Amino acid sequence: MTMAESRGETEGTTDAVLMAVALYKAAVFPLVAGSVSAEEQQARRTVAYRMSAYDSLPRQVRLSAAEALEVIDDGQDAEAARTTLQALTMAVYDCRLRSRWPNGR
């Protein structure tokens, strides 16, 4: 696998983790109360956890995803969930920058 392929795989995986966690957050804190079934919420949780456990994820993304999942699982604080999802977004962004410019360009 070339460096570009590896970088592309990592970027794709981190993006997928971010999307999975965001969809899980949306199921736990829906815009319309009662609009998400318990089954859908559980399915989104399962996908988010599986994606977040992917072996090739950068450590910072894995840790940030774990923190977001913990807060979302608690289901009590939508603002804290938003904050941790924002931190995950920044971890994914930072990972992308470092993979493209490893010397701190």
Side-chain angles (χ1 to χ4, degrees), residues 5-105:
E5 289 172 328
S6 177
R7 184 178 68 228
E9 180 182 342
T10 299
E11 287 182 8
T13 304
T14 58
D15 286 348
V17 167
L18 177 59
M19 181 60 71
V21 173
L23 289 172
Y24 176 43
K25 178 195 164 285
V28 172
F29 301 103
L31 294 176
V32 177
S35 63
V36 179
S37 69
E39 293 82 15
E40 181 178 358
Q41 195 176 72
Q42 185 59 41
R44 289 184 184 192
R45 181 182 189 274
T46 299
V47 170
Y49 269 86
R50 286 183 181 168
M51 292 298 301
S52 297
Y54 192 67
D55 286 340
S56 70
L57 275 179
R59 187 176 197 290
Q60 69 183 31
V61 173
R62 188 183 299 236
L63 292 174
S64 188
E67 183 179 353
L69 291 170
E70 181 179 358
V71 171
I72 295 166
D73 277 346
D74 182 45
Q76 300 299 311
D77 190 348
E79 182 60 28
R82 186 190 67 73
T83 299
T84 59
L85 187 60
Q86 191 173 35
L88 175 57
T89 302
M90 294 311 298
V92 167
Y93 179 75
D94 185 55
C95 178
R96 177 167 287 145
L97 286 178
R98 279 195 268 136
S99 74
R100 291 184 181 177
W101 296 290
N103 296 328
R105 185 174 186 212

